[in-house]
Amino acid sequence: MKNLVIVESPAKAKTIEKYLGKDFHVLSSVGHIRSIVKKTKDGTPPIDVANDFFAVYEVDPEKKKVITELKKNVKAVGKDNVWLATDEDREGEAIAWHLCKVLDLPIETTKRIVFHEITKDAITNAIKNPRTVDMNLVQAQQARQILDRLVGFELSPVVWQKVPGGKSAGRVQSPAVRLLVEREREIMKFAGSSQFKVTAIFIHDNQEFKAELNQKFDSEAAAHEFLNSLKPATFTVSDISKTPGTRNPAAPFTTSTLQQEANAKLGFSSKATMASAQRLYQDGKITYMRTDSVNLSGQAIASATDFIKRLYGPDYSTVRKFKTKSASAQEAHEAIRPTDITRETVTSNEYDQKLYDLIRRRTLASQMSAAKLEKTTISIDIQGNDKLHFEAKGEVITFDGFLRVYGGGKDEILPKLHTGDTLETHDITARQTFARPPSRYTEGSLVKKLEDLGIGRPSTYATIIDTVQTRGYVEKGDSEGQPRDVIVLSYNGEEVSRDIVQEKTGSTRGKLIPTPSGELIADFLTDHFTQIVDYDFTANVETEFDKIAAADLAKSAMLHGFYTPFHK
């Protein structure tokens, strides 16, 4: 054995060793190996604020065996032949630095390699282009860890004393709880109102289609009066307008959009999505799953283009380069995509396969042609009523394009009609519809909101959502909703009848709801520690970490700027 490569996860180690061959032995640190001590032996604070926030670290007790094994292997190959191949983000860089410290490796010269997919090409390319540990990234990670520890360390005891059921207060979790509490209060305050919406089923050439009246009625009496006025009326097609339209595919997945879509389409929680993506990444099936870039490598675009042309024909291929909006996103990184686009099945695990399929189809769709549609609007006049008319809307997909693989369209096909055609109807209803309160967040929509506000980063969304639930500040709803009465007036061509039907309202299934202790903690922090739950302030702190990573801001200056007013 000539070289030792250290990675983060045991599953990854096996895959990488296979690609590197017999000159390399690959071992794993099994994630983080050290953390800031809870208490120091001599009673000094674990983080020395006066001494530029110097933090005392200790090896995690359950990692002692791992470290012993790594030390033995480092000794066998010699320090010059050790390669650090932890993940390519801030956390991964910090683990590489901790490994240097614990294994006594020189930080200035130890070889550090990164790759964002576990394929033979990516690994051999990384070995050819080693760098050293990026201390700016490490400082950014340390700043985040120190700050979070200080906030938790100083704020949590206050919360325990003052807030019944308060477990702790976190720098990023607290604004997330506040978001949910604010939304819950908007729902509570919401004053419901109702209107009557009129729809008709028309028939032409034995084909039925639906049309909607261009006005809603505020009262049952007005709706009843309108339906009664239809008794002598005939219905005539007065106008047919057709407009061509196109629909473009979305960008390939980032961490945030993957969590949103897996939640909406597959019902996966953020935590389940990330665990599944992690397994797919470690098995070399997808690229690195923590990214805020929508960029695809030239090679990935070329192989997707080739595959699309072979499978569907050249008309379906449109090369697209997506640009990442966020300034902090690193364009060298890639969106989440399959390492081999031609592979449909990669695992026997049903969950992982479903997620892989979603990632693969989204990547393919991003390099496919726009779908072409024809939107049709038909206006139907009511004899004897100049003000009101019915409208039927439909669309026909004339070329399916990317819809062939991702997000098929709902076609509402209308019959072939001409201006002046008279239509038959046997069913016109006025149904009571209620104004909807703002909707509660799901895990997916909360991730989107946090991202829009600039709170959290790809590596932290799932943790934030998991933590607020574990602490008992938020729970997932499971109610199907409450029944409510709905008035339905029906006109069958001869008379108007009235029915009361029931519908469910206010379902909370899969929605995030703050608990009473969540509401207490959000109010307490909003009243006394405004900054901690302030959205702009929290987002600004994230931007400052990015600045430290880019060497545009000193770690100690950033920490002093936060800590001094916070401590006071």
mmCIF file of all heavy atoms in Angstrom, residues 448-493:
data_model
loop_
_atom_site.group_PDB
_atom_site.id
_atom_site.type_symbol
_atom_site.label_atom_id
_atom_site.label_comp_id
_atom_site.label_asym_id
_atom_site.label_seq_id
_atom_site.Cartn_x
_atom_site.Cartn_y
_atom_site.Cartn_z
ATOM 1 N N LYS A 448 -38.543 26.504 0.218
ATOM 2 C CA LYS A 448 -38.549 27.552 -0.823
ATOM 3 C C LYS A 448 -38.541 28.939 -0.176
ATOM 4 O O LYS A 448 -37.801 29.832 -0.585
ATOM 5 C CB LYS A 448 -39.770 27.396 -1.724
ATOM 6 C CG LYS A 448 -39.789 28.404 -2.866
ATOM 7 C CD LYS A 448 -40.916 28.179 -3.825
ATOM 8 C CE LYS A 448 -40.807 29.001 -5.082
ATOM 9 N NZ LYS A 448 -40.218 30.324 -4.970
ATOM 10 N N LYS A 449 -39.363 29.100 0.871
ATOM 11 C CA LYS A 449 -39.450 30.400 1.552
ATOM 12 C C LYS A 449 -38.113 30.758 2.214
ATOM 13 O O LYS A 449 -37.641 31.890 2.112
ATOM 14 C CB LYS A 449 -40.570 30.350 2.605
ATOM 15 C CG LYS A 449 -40.826 31.669 3.304
ATOM 16 C CD LYS A 449 -41.401 32.696 2.349
ATOM 17 C CE LYS A 449 -41.666 34.024 3.063
ATOM 18 N NZ LYS A 449 -42.080 35.072 2.113
ATOM 19 N N LEU A 450 -37.493 29.775 2.877
ATOM 20 C CA LEU A 450 -36.192 30.025 3.522
ATOM 21 C C LEU A 450 -35.162 30.425 2.467
ATOM 22 O O LEU A 450 -34.374 31.344 2.666
ATOM 23 C CB LEU A 450 -35.710 28.773 4.273
ATOM 24 C CG LEU A 450 -36.504 28.386 5.534
ATOM 25 C CD1 LEU A 450 -36.060 27.017 6.038
ATOM 26 C CD2 LEU A 450 -36.345 29.423 6.641
ATOM 27 N N GLU A 451 -35.198 29.728 1.327
ATOM 28 C CA GLU A 451 -34.240 30.042 0.255
ATOM 29 C C GLU A 451 -34.498 31.440 -0.293
ATOM 30 O O GLU A 451 -33.563 32.215 -0.501
ATOM 31 C CB GLU A 451 -34.355 29.001 -0.870
ATOM 32 C CG GLU A 451 -33.258 29.194 -1.907
ATOM 33 C CD GLU A 451 -33.384 28.247 -3.082
ATOM 34 O OE1 GLU A 451 -34.508 27.965 -3.533
ATOM 35 O OE2 GLU A 451 -32.332 27.809 -3.565
ATOM 36 N N ASP A 452 -35.774 31.786 -0.512
ATOM 37 C CA ASP A 452 -36.109 33.126 -1.021
ATOM 38 C C ASP A 452 -35.625 34.214 -0.070
ATOM 39 O O ASP A 452 -35.192 35.280 -0.493
ATOM 40 C CB ASP A 452 -37.631 33.288 -1.198
ATOM 41 C CG ASP A 452 -38.164 32.427 -2.351
ATOM 42 O OD1 ASP A 452 -37.335 31.948 -3.153
ATOM 43 O OD2 ASP A 452 -39.393 32.235 -2.438
ATOM 44 N N LEU A 453 -35.705 33.938 1.244
ATOM 45 C CA LEU A 453 -35.289 34.932 2.239
ATOM 46 C C LEU A 453 -33.771 34.927 2.447
ATOM 47 O O LEU A 453 -33.233 35.791 3.140
ATOM 48 C CB LEU A 453 -35.972 34.659 3.585
ATOM 49 C CG LEU A 453 -37.485 34.921 3.656
ATOM 50 C CD1 LEU A 453 -38.063 34.374 4.945
ATOM 51 C CD2 LEU A 453 -37.784 36.418 3.551
ATOM 52 N N GLY A 454 -33.082 33.919 1.885
ATOM 53 C CA GLY A 454 -31.629 33.833 2.062
ATOM 54 C C GLY A 454 -31.224 33.239 3.393
ATOM 55 O O GLY A 454 -30.120 33.436 3.886
ATOM 56 N N ILE A 455 -32.163 32.484 4.016
ATOM 57 C CA ILE A 455 -31.873 31.869 5.321
ATOM 58 C C ILE A 455 -31.465 30.417 5.092
ATOM 59 O O ILE A 455 -32.161 29.677 4.405
ATOM 60 C CB ILE A 455 -33.125 31.922 6.232
ATOM 61 C CG1 ILE A 455 -33.459 33.381 6.564
ATOM 62 C CG2 ILE A 455 -32.915 31.111 7.503
ATOM 63 C CD1 ILE A 455 -34.773 33.566 7.292
ATOM 64 N N GLY A 456 -30.341 30.009 5.698
ATOM 65 C CA GLY A 456 -29.897 28.627 5.512
ATOM 66 C C GLY A 456 -29.167 28.468 4.187
ATOM 67 O O GLY A 456 -29.124 29.374 3.357
ATOM 68 N N ARG A 457 -28.592 27.306 4.005
ATOM 69 C CA ARG A 457 -27.859 26.982 2.779
ATOM 70 C C ARG A 457 -28.196 25.530 2.416
ATOM 71 O O ARG A 457 -28.781 24.811 3.234
ATOM 72 C CB ARG A 457 -26.339 27.137 3.015
ATOM 73 C CG ARG A 457 -25.851 28.598 3.043
ATOM 74 C CD ARG A 457 -25.996 29.265 1.687
ATOM 75 N NE ARG A 457 -25.555 30.649 1.664
ATOM 76 C CZ ARG A 457 -26.349 31.705 1.791
ATOM 77 N NH1 ARG A 457 -27.638 31.525 2.015
ATOM 78 N NH2 ARG A 457 -25.872 32.941 1.715
ATOM 79 N N PRO A 458 -27.820 25.060 1.204
ATOM 80 C CA PRO A 458 -28.209 23.704 0.790
ATOM 81 C C PRO A 458 -27.958 22.625 1.841
ATOM 82 O O PRO A 458 -28.758 21.711 2.002
ATOM 83 C CB PRO A 458 -27.343 23.462 -0.454
ATOM 84 C CG PRO A 458 -27.141 24.808 -1.025
ATOM 85 C CD PRO A 458 -27.055 25.749 0.138
ATOM 86 N N SER A 459 -26.855 22.776 2.596
ATOM 87 C CA SER A 459 -26.524 21.708 3.552
ATOM 88 C C SER A 459 -27.397 21.771 4.803
ATOM 89 O O SER A 459 -27.415 20.838 5.583
ATOM 90 C CB SER A 459 -25.052 21.816 3.956
ATOM 91 O OG SER A 459 -24.818 23.109 4.461
ATOM 92 N N THR A 460 -28.142 22.886 4.986
ATOM 93 C CA THR A 460 -28.832 23.035 6.281
ATOM 94 C C THR A 460 -30.357 22.965 6.232
ATOM 95 O O THR A 460 -30.986 22.824 7.272
ATOM 96 C CB THR A 460 -28.439 24.371 6.961
ATOM 97 O OG1 THR A 460 -28.747 25.454 6.063
ATOM 98 C CG2 THR A 460 -26.965 24.413 7.291
ATOM 99 N N TYR A 461 -30.982 23.077 5.043
ATOM 100 C CA TYR A 461 -32.459 23.103 4.998
ATOM 101 C C TYR A 461 -33.087 21.911 5.724
ATOM 102 O O TYR A 461 -33.983 22.067 6.540
ATOM 103 C CB TYR A 461 -32.991 23.114 3.560
ATOM 104 C CG TYR A 461 -32.535 24.280 2.720
ATOM 105 C CD1 TYR A 461 -31.986 24.080 1.453
ATOM 106 C CD2 TYR A 461 -32.659 25.589 3.180
ATOM 107 C CE1 TYR A 461 -31.567 25.144 0.665
ATOM 108 C CE2 TYR A 461 -32.235 26.658 2.396
ATOM 109 C CZ TYR A 461 -31.688 26.431 1.135
ATOM 110 O OH TYR A 461 -31.278 27.475 0.376
ATOM 111 N N ALA A 462 -32.609 20.707 5.388
ATOM 112 C CA ALA A 462 -33.222 19.497 5.964
ATOM 113 C C ALA A 462 -33.048 19.481 7.486
ATOM 114 O O ALA A 462 -33.960 19.103 8.218
ATOM 115 C CB ALA A 462 -32.611 18.248 5.336
ATOM 116 N N THR A 463 -31.863 19.924 7.958
ATOM 117 C CA THR A 463 -31.588 19.934 9.402
ATOM 118 C C THR A 463 -32.512 20.914 10.124
ATOM 119 O O THR A 463 -33.038 20.610 11.193
ATOM 120 C CB THR A 463 -30.119 20.362 9.666
ATOM 121 O OG1 THR A 463 -29.298 19.742 8.692
ATOM 122 C CG2 THR A 463 -29.665 19.961 11.046
ATOM 123 N N ILE A 464 -32.710 22.101 9.512
ATOM 124 C CA ILE A 464 -33.566 23.125 10.136
ATOM 125 C C ILE A 464 -34.963 22.543 10.353
ATOM 126 O O ILE A 464 -35.537 22.621 11.438
ATOM 127 C CB ILE A 464 -33.668 24.380 9.228
ATOM 128 C CG1 ILE A 464 -32.315 25.081 9.081
ATOM 129 C CG2 ILE A 464 -34.713 25.357 9.770
ATOM 130 C CD1 ILE A 464 -32.249 26.119 7.968
ATOM 131 N N ILE A 465 -35.502 21.932 9.286
ATOM 132 C CA ILE A 465 -36.881 21.437 9.340
ATOM 133 C C ILE A 465 -37.000 20.256 10.297
ATOM 134 O O ILE A 465 -38.007 20.098 10.986
ATOM 135 C CB ILE A 465 -37.349 21.095 7.907
ATOM 136 C CG1 ILE A 465 -37.571 22.414 7.166
ATOM 137 C CG2 ILE A 465 -38.624 20.275 7.910
ATOM 138 C CD1 ILE A 465 -37.914 22.292 5.730
ATOM 139 N N ASP A 466 -35.966 19.459 10.375
ATOM 140 C CA ASP A 466 -35.967 18.319 11.288
ATOM 141 C C ASP A 466 -35.880 18.809 12.746
ATOM 142 O O ASP A 466 -36.612 18.349 13.619
ATOM 143 C CB ASP A 466 -34.776 17.403 10.950
ATOM 144 C CG ASP A 466 -34.841 16.094 11.722
ATOM 145 O OD1 ASP A 466 -35.934 15.481 11.745
ATOM 146 O OD2 ASP A 466 -33.830 15.688 12.309
ATOM 147 N N THR A 467 -34.982 19.774 12.986
ATOM 148 C CA THR A 467 -34.746 20.259 14.354
ATOM 149 C C THR A 467 -35.996 20.890 14.964
ATOM 150 O O THR A 467 -36.332 20.625 16.123
ATOM 151 C CB THR A 467 -33.585 21.285 14.371
ATOM 152 O OG1 THR A 467 -32.450 20.685 13.756
ATOM 153 C CG2 THR A 467 -33.223 21.692 15.790
ATOM 154 N N VAL A 468 -36.700 21.745 14.197
ATOM 155 C CA VAL A 468 -37.869 22.418 14.794
ATOM 156 C C VAL A 468 -38.955 21.411 15.168
ATOM 157 O O VAL A 468 -39.716 21.627 16.113
ATOM 158 C CB VAL A 468 -38.450 23.527 13.874
ATOM 159 C CG1 VAL A 468 -37.453 24.651 13.701
ATOM 160 C CG2 VAL A 468 -38.896 22.997 12.523
ATOM 161 N N GLN A 469 -38.986 20.270 14.448
ATOM 162 C CA GLN A 469 -39.963 19.235 14.805
ATOM 163 C C GLN A 469 -39.490 18.429 16.013
ATOM 164 O O GLN A 469 -40.260 18.141 16.925
ATOM 165 C CB GLN A 469 -40.209 18.310 13.605
ATOM 166 C CG GLN A 469 -40.948 19.016 12.475
ATOM 167 C CD GLN A 469 -41.151 18.144 11.245
ATOM 168 O OE1 GLN A 469 -41.918 17.196 11.273
ATOM 169 N NE2 GLN A 469 -40.453 18.446 10.176
ATOM 170 N N THR A 470 -38.182 18.081 16.037
ATOM 171 C CA THR A 470 -37.633 17.300 17.149
ATOM 172 C C THR A 470 -37.788 18.052 18.467
ATOM 173 O O THR A 470 -38.050 17.469 19.511
ATOM 174 C CB THR A 470 -36.127 17.018 16.916
ATOM 175 O OG1 THR A 470 -35.945 16.627 15.558
ATOM 176 C CG2 THR A 470 -35.609 15.915 17.807
ATOM 177 N N ARG A 471 -37.622 19.376 18.413
ATOM 178 C CA ARG A 471 -37.706 20.176 19.645
ATOM 179 C C ARG A 471 -39.136 20.400 20.101
ATOM 180 O O ARG A 471 -39.372 21.012 21.137
ATOM 181 C CB ARG A 471 -37.032 21.534 19.429
ATOM 182 C CG ARG A 471 -35.547 21.349 19.180
ATOM 183 C CD ARG A 471 -34.758 22.557 19.603
ATOM 184 N NE ARG A 471 -33.348 22.240 19.529
ATOM 185 C CZ ARG A 471 -32.428 23.036 18.994
ATOM 186 N NH1 ARG A 471 -32.775 24.193 18.509
ATOM 187 N NH2 ARG A 471 -31.161 22.672 18.976
ATOM 188 N N GLY A 472 -40.091 19.968 19.281
ATOM 189 C CA GLY A 472 -41.492 20.100 19.689
ATOM 190 C C GLY A 472 -42.080 21.468 19.441
ATOM 191 O O GLY A 472 -43.122 21.822 19.994
ATOM 192 N N TYR A 473 -41.419 22.293 18.597
ATOM 193 C CA TYR A 473 -41.965 23.620 18.292
ATOM 194 C C TYR A 473 -42.926 23.563 17.106
ATOM 195 O O TYR A 473 -43.710 24.475 16.878
ATOM 196 C CB TYR A 473 -40.834 24.604 17.975
ATOM 197 C CG TYR A 473 -39.915 24.860 19.142
ATOM 198 C CD1 TYR A 473 -38.561 25.171 18.952
ATOM 199 C CD2 TYR A 473 -40.393 24.803 20.450
ATOM 200 C CE1 TYR A 473 -37.724 25.404 20.026
ATOM 201 C CE2 TYR A 473 -39.558 25.031 21.530
ATOM 202 C CZ TYR A 473 -38.218 25.334 21.310
ATOM 203 O OH TYR A 473 -37.394 25.565 22.382
ATOM 204 N N VAL A 474 -42.791 22.506 16.311
ATOM 205 C CA VAL A 474 -43.591 22.372 15.096
ATOM 206 C C VAL A 474 -43.997 20.917 14.969
ATOM 207 O O VAL A 474 -43.222 20.026 15.326
ATOM 208 C CB VAL A 474 -42.735 22.764 13.853
ATOM 209 C CG1 VAL A 474 -43.491 22.503 12.560
ATOM 210 C CG2 VAL A 474 -42.309 24.222 13.935
ATOM 211 N N GLU A 475 -45.216 20.673 14.476
ATOM 212 C CA GLU A 475 -45.581 19.282 14.201
ATOM 213 C C GLU A 475 -46.240 19.190 12.834
ATOM 214 O O GLU A 475 -46.695 20.198 12.280
ATOM 215 C CB GLU A 475 -46.500 18.733 15.302
ATOM 216 C CG GLU A 475 -47.774 19.520 15.490
ATOM 217 C CD GLU A 475 -48.535 19.122 16.758
ATOM 218 O OE1 GLU A 475 -47.945 18.516 17.662
ATOM 219 O OE2 GLU A 475 -49.737 19.448 16.805
ATOM 220 N N LYS A 476 -46.256 17.965 12.320
ATOM 221 C CA LYS A 476 -46.870 17.751 11.008
ATOM 222 C C LYS A 476 -48.333 17.386 11.210
ATOM 223 O O LYS A 476 -48.652 16.504 11.993
ATOM 224 C CB LYS A 476 -46.134 16.622 10.295
ATOM 225 C CG LYS A 476 -45.841 16.984 8.859
ATOM 226 C CD LYS A 476 -45.103 15.891 8.153
ATOM 227 C CE LYS A 476 -43.722 16.400 7.765
ATOM 228 N NZ LYS A 476 -42.951 15.444 7.035
ATOM 229 N N GLY A 477 -49.203 18.104 10.508
ATOM 230 C CA GLY A 477 -50.636 17.860 10.655
ATOM 231 C C GLY A 477 -51.061 16.544 10.017
ATOM 232 O O GLY A 477 -50.395 16.036 9.109
ATOM 233 N N ASP A 478 -52.171 15.976 10.504
ATOM 234 C CA ASP A 478 -52.672 14.749 9.868
ATOM 235 C C ASP A 478 -54.202 14.761 9.760
ATOM 236 O O ASP A 478 -54.818 13.741 9.486
ATOM 237 C CB ASP A 478 -52.191 13.504 10.626
ATOM 238 C CG ASP A 478 -52.631 13.526 12.081
ATOM 239 O OD1 ASP A 478 -53.335 14.490 12.464
ATOM 240 O OD2 ASP A 478 -52.268 12.600 12.827
ATOM 241 N N SER A 479 -54.811 15.953 9.949
ATOM 242 C CA SER A 479 -56.279 16.010 9.896
ATOM 243 C C SER A 479 -56.742 16.147 8.448
ATOM 244 O O SER A 479 -56.108 16.835 7.645
ATOM 245 C CB SER A 479 -56.767 17.195 10.724
ATOM 246 O OG SER A 479 -57.847 17.825 10.088
ATOM 247 N N GLU A 480 -57.831 15.468 8.125
ATOM 248 C CA GLU A 480 -58.395 15.553 6.772
ATOM 249 C C GLU A 480 -59.261 16.796 6.618
ATOM 250 O O GLU A 480 -59.824 17.043 5.561
ATOM 251 C CB GLU A 480 -59.266 14.305 6.479
ATOM 252 C CG GLU A 480 -58.491 13.001 6.386
ATOM 253 C CD GLU A 480 -57.520 12.940 5.202
ATOM 254 O OE1 GLU A 480 -57.501 13.889 4.397
ATOM 255 O OE2 GLU A 480 -56.780 11.954 5.091
ATOM 256 N N GLY A 481 -59.420 17.565 7.707
ATOM 257 C CA GLY A 481 -60.214 18.781 7.637
ATOM 258 C C GLY A 481 -61.592 18.590 8.262
ATOM 259 O O GLY A 481 -61.985 17.490 8.642
ATOM 260 N N GLN A 482 -62.335 19.688 8.350
ATOM 261 C CA GLN A 482 -63.676 19.687 8.945
ATOM 262 C C GLN A 482 -64.732 19.726 7.839
ATOM 263 O O GLN A 482 -64.525 20.378 6.827
ATOM 264 C CB GLN A 482 -63.857 20.941 9.816
ATOM 265 C CG GLN A 482 -62.834 21.086 10.925
ATOM 266 C CD GLN A 482 -62.878 19.922 11.895
ATOM 267 O OE1 GLN A 482 -63.949 19.487 12.299
ATOM 268 N NE2 GLN A 482 -61.701 19.383 12.249
ATOM 269 N N PRO A 483 -65.899 19.069 8.050
ATOM 270 C CA PRO A 483 -66.950 19.175 7.028
ATOM 271 C C PRO A 483 -67.614 20.553 7.072
ATOM 272 O O PRO A 483 -67.705 21.162 8.141
ATOM 273 C CB PRO A 483 -67.943 18.080 7.433
ATOM 274 C CG PRO A 483 -67.662 17.797 8.867
ATOM 275 C CD PRO A 483 -66.258 18.200 9.158
ATOM 276 N N ARG A 484 -67.997 21.059 5.908
ATOM 277 C CA ARG A 484 -68.782 22.295 5.912
ATOM 278 C C ARG A 484 -69.878 22.193 4.845
ATOM 279 O O ARG A 484 -69.717 21.493 3.847
ATOM 280 C CB ARG A 484 -67.885 23.520 5.715
ATOM 281 C CG ARG A 484 -67.760 24.010 4.318
ATOM 282 C CD ARG A 484 -67.005 25.317 4.215
ATOM 283 N NE ARG A 484 -66.094 25.256 3.070
ATOM 284 C CZ ARG A 484 -65.039 26.027 2.921
ATOM 285 N NH1 ARG A 484 -64.723 26.907 3.840
ATOM 286 N NH2 ARG A 484 -64.275 25.923 1.853
ATOM 287 N N ASP A 485 -71.007 22.899 5.094
ATOM 288 C CA ASP A 485 -72.131 22.867 4.162
ATOM 289 C C ASP A 485 -71.895 23.808 2.985
ATOM 290 O O ASP A 485 -71.404 24.922 3.168
ATOM 291 C CB ASP A 485 -73.422 23.286 4.878
ATOM 292 C CG ASP A 485 -73.872 22.225 5.874
ATOM 293 O OD1 ASP A 485 -73.337 21.105 5.802
ATOM 294 O OD2 ASP A 485 -74.737 22.516 6.731
ATOM 295 N N VAL A 486 -72.248 23.343 1.803
ATOM 296 C CA VAL A 486 -72.103 24.139 0.592
ATOM 297 C C VAL A 486 -73.456 24.151 -0.128
ATOM 298 O O VAL A 486 -74.070 23.098 -0.330
ATOM 299 C CB VAL A 486 -71.037 23.521 -0.349
ATOM 300 C CG1 VAL A 486 -70.914 24.311 -1.634
ATOM 301 C CG2 VAL A 486 -69.682 23.441 0.351
ATOM 302 N N ILE A 487 -73.927 25.345 -0.513
ATOM 303 C CA ILE A 487 -75.198 25.452 -1.242
ATOM 304 C C ILE A 487 -74.943 25.263 -2.735
ATOM 305 O O ILE A 487 -74.026 25.894 -3.296
ATOM 306 C CB ILE A 487 -75.838 26.845 -1.000
ATOM 307 C CG1 ILE A 487 -76.084 27.067 0.497
ATOM 308 C CG2 ILE A 487 -77.138 27.012 -1.802
ATOM 309 C CD1 ILE A 487 -76.352 28.511 0.880
ATOM 310 N N VAL A 488 -75.716 24.391 -3.364
ATOM 311 C CA VAL A 488 -75.604 24.195 -4.815
ATOM 312 C C VAL A 488 -76.984 24.403 -5.436
ATOM 313 O O VAL A 488 -77.954 23.728 -5.081
ATOM 314 C CB VAL A 488 -75.090 22.769 -5.157
ATOM 315 C CG1 VAL A 488 -74.982 22.590 -6.671
ATOM 316 C CG2 VAL A 488 -73.741 22.510 -4.500
ATOM 317 N N LEU A 489 -77.069 25.367 -6.359
ATOM 318 C CA LEU A 489 -78.314 25.614 -7.105
ATOM 319 C C LEU A 489 -78.150 25.011 -8.496
ATOM 320 O O LEU A 489 -77.134 25.246 -9.151
ATOM 321 C CB LEU A 489 -78.577 27.115 -7.224
ATOM 322 C CG LEU A 489 -78.602 27.916 -5.907
ATOM 323 C CD1 LEU A 489 -78.712 29.408 -6.189
ATOM 324 C CD2 LEU A 489 -79.742 27.459 -5.011
ATOM 325 N N SER A 490 -79.126 24.219 -8.949
ATOM 326 C CA SER A 490 -78.991 23.565 -10.257
ATOM 327 C C SER A 490 -80.172 23.915 -11.155
ATOM 328 O O SER A 490 -81.325 23.918 -10.706
ATOM 329 C CB SER A 490 -78.959 22.043 -10.091
ATOM 330 O OG SER A 490 -77.938 21.690 -9.197
ATOM 331 N N TYR A 491 -79.867 24.186 -12.420
ATOM 332 C CA TYR A 491 -80.916 24.435 -13.418
ATOM 333 C C TYR A 491 -80.816 23.334 -14.470
ATOM 334 O O TYR A 491 -79.755 23.139 -15.066
ATOM 335 C CB TYR A 491 -80.704 25.816 -14.043
ATOM 336 C CG TYR A 491 -81.577 26.077 -15.255
ATOM 337 C CD1 TYR A 491 -82.961 26.159 -15.132
ATOM 338 C CD2 TYR A 491 -81.012 26.240 -16.525
ATOM 339 C CE1 TYR A 491 -83.762 26.388 -16.248
ATOM 340 C CE2 TYR A 491 -81.801 26.477 -17.637
ATOM 341 C CZ TYR A 491 -83.179 26.541 -17.498
ATOM 342 O OH TYR A 491 -83.967 26.757 -18.598
ATOM 343 N N ASN A 492 -81.910 22.583 -14.663
ATOM 344 C CA ASN A 492 -81.850 21.428 -15.570
ATOM 345 C C ASN A 492 -82.538 21.694 -16.913
ATOM 346 O O ASN A 492 -82.873 20.779 -17.658
ATOM 347 C CB ASN A 492 -82.488 20.200 -14.905
ATOM 348 C CG ASN A 492 -83.955 20.444 -14.589
ATOM 349 O OD1 ASN A 492 -84.507 21.496 -14.922
ATOM 350 N ND2 ASN A 492 -84.589 19.473 -13.942
ATOM 351 N N GLY A 493 -82.782 22.981 -17.205
ATOM 352 C CA GLY A 493 -83.467 23.317 -18.461
ATOM 353 C C GLY A 493 -84.921 23.662 -18.222
ATOM 354 O O GLY A 493 -85.570 24.259 -19.080
#
